[in-house]
C-alpha cells in the first residue's frame, strides 16, 4: 500500500524537480559500522549474521520516511512498508536475486528469509525478483573490505530504489567493523536523511 506525496506542499519540491532531471541522480557514501555486539548476538542466538544485520538495515530504513519514497510517472509514492531484495551467493561463485518481506520481529523475518535463500541457492541464473518498487536493493561482498563502491546501472530503466551494500567484517582489537555503502536518489532525499539512517542502523546493531 502507498499514498501519493503532495509535491506542491513538500519542502523539497525544488530539490525534487532539480535532481529528477539528472541522468545520474543517485549519490552515495561509504561508512564503517561497528558490528561487534550484533555479531556476538547473532552467534549466541544461533542466527545468521547476514540476516541479522540485513534485518537491522531494513528496520532502520523503514523508520525513515524518505527511504520509503519511490518515483513513478513524475509522482512520489510513499509506501507503508519497504521490503528487501538482496543478492544471494551460491557455492558455484554466482549469485541470484531474491525477495524478502519485512517483518518487525527478527525471528519471523529470519524464518521466511531462510526459505527464500534456499530457493535461490537451488536455482540457476539471476531470476530477477518480481518485487516491484517497494524494496531496497541489498548486496553483500564479504570478501572485500572496500572503501568505496559503484553500481552497474541501466539509465534507460527508471529506478529510485536505495542500494545498500555490505563488505568484509574486520576484527581489530576485539572489535568488529564492516564497510557499508549507501546509494540513494537525490530527488527523494539528502545527506541529512542518509545520516539519520546510519545513526539508526548503528543503534539497532548496538542493542
Amino acid at each position: 500500500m502507498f499514498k501519493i506525496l503532495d509535491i506542491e506542499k513538500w519542502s523539497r519540491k525544488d530539490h525534487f524537480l532539480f535532481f529528477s532531471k539528472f541522468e545520474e541522480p543517485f549519490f552515495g557514501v561509504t561508512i564503517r559500522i561497528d558490528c561487534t555486539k550484533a555479531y556476538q548476538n547473532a552467534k549466541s542466538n544461533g542466527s545468521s549474521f547476514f540476516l541479522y544485520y540485513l534485518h537491522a538495515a531494513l528496520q532502520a530504513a523503514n523508520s525513515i520516511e524518505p527511504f520509503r519514497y519511490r518515483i513513478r510517472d513524475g509522482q512520489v509514492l510513499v509506501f507503508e512498508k519497504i521490503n528487501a531484495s538482496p543478492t544471494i551467493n551460491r557455492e558455484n561463485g554466482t549469485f541470484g536475486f531474491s525477495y524478502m518481506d519485512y517483518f518487525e520481529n527478527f525471528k519471523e523475518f529470519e524464518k521466511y528469509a531462510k526459505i527464500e535463500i534456499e530457493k535461490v541457492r537451488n536455482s540457476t541464473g539471476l531470476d530477477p525478483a518480481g518485487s516491484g518498487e517497494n524494496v531496497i536493493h541489498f548486496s553483500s561482498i564479504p570478501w572485500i573490505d572496500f572503501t568505496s563502491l559503484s553500481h552497474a546501472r541501466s539509465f534507460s530503466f527508471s529506478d529510485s530504489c536505495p542500494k545498500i551494500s555490505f563488505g568484509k567484517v574486520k576484527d581489530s582489537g576485539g572489535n568488529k567493523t564492516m564497510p557499508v555503502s549507501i546509494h540513494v536518489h537525490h530527488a527523494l532525499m539528502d545527506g541529512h536523511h542518509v545520516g539519520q539512517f546510519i545513526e539508526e542502523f548503528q543503534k539497532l546493531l548496538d542493542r
Side-chain angles (χ1 to χ4, degrees):
M1 296 291 292
F2 63 83
K3 63 181 180 180
I4 304 296
L5 184 72
D6 187 345
I7 295 175
E8 293 302 318
K9 295 180 180 179
W10 190 18
S11 62
R12 294 191 71 261
K13 173 187 173 182
D14 291 339
H15 302 71
F16 172 75
L17 296 175
F18 179 72
F19 288 110
S20 292
K21 298 173 183 175
F22 280 37
E23 290 83 4
E24 172 53 295
F26 279 79
F27 74 95
V29 299
T30 300
I31 62 161
R32 183 163 290 277
I33 208 89
D34 188 320
C35 56
T36 308
K37 193 164 184 180
Y39 187 88
Q40 292 171 348
N41 288 340
K43 295 305 176 183
S44 64
N45 293 327
S47 297
S48 159
F49 177 53
F50 165 66
L51 290 180
Y52 193 91
Y53 68 66
L54 180 66
H55 180 262
L58 202 51
Q59 188 173 359
N62 271 283
S63 73
I64 299 160
E65 187 172 292
F67 274 80
R68 293 187 277 112
Y69 291 173
R70 299 293 181 271
I71 301 171
R72 183 196 294 171
D73 298 329
Q75 293 183 311
V76 177
L77 280 54
V78 185
F79 282 93
E80 290 181 4
K81 183 178 75 169
I82 293 297
N83 301 307
S85 181
T87 55
I88 301 298
N89 300 320
R90 300 189 181 103
E91 288 186 0
N92 65 1
T94 67
F95 68 88
F97 296 120
S98 69
Y99 174 78
M100 299 176 184
D101 280 318
Y102 170 63
F103 296 94
E104 189 172 349
N105 179 273
F106 171 68
K107 286 298 181 182
E108 191 172 8
F109 171 78
E110 183 181 40
K111 174 184 174 182
Y112 291 103
K114 284 183 174 180
I115 295 172
E116 178 70 2
I117 288 173
E118 279 303 304
K119 185 181 84 172
V120 173
R121 285 183 173 163
N122 288 308
S123 66
T124 58
L126 287 172
D127 290 329
S131 52
E133 304 152 304
N134 64 324
V135 296
I136 290 177
H137 297 144
F138 289 103
S139 57
S140 181
I141 314 171
W143 317 276
I144 304 174
D145 183 26
F146 58 76
T147 55
S148 66
L149 189 143
S150 62
H151 291 274
R153 285 242 295 135
S154 173
F155 290 105
S156 62
F157 178 74
S158 180
D159 179 22
S160 57
C161 298
K163 298 158 199 333
I164 301 177
S165 302
F166 309 98
K168 183 178 182 179
V169 175
K170 188 175 182 180
D171 201 331
S172 178
N175 291 325
K176 294 186 182 297
T177 61
M178 178 175 63
V180 180
S181 169
I182 306 156
H183 282 75
V184 296
H185 200 297
H186 214 343
L188 298 178
M189 69 180 88
D190 305 310
H192 170 68
H193 306 105
V194 176
Q196 289 179 320
F197 167 80
I198 294 168
E199 184 178 354
E200 183 62 20
F201 183 36
Q202 183 66 73
K203 187 189 302 182
L204 291 168
L205 292 178
D206 287 342
R207 286 181 300 184

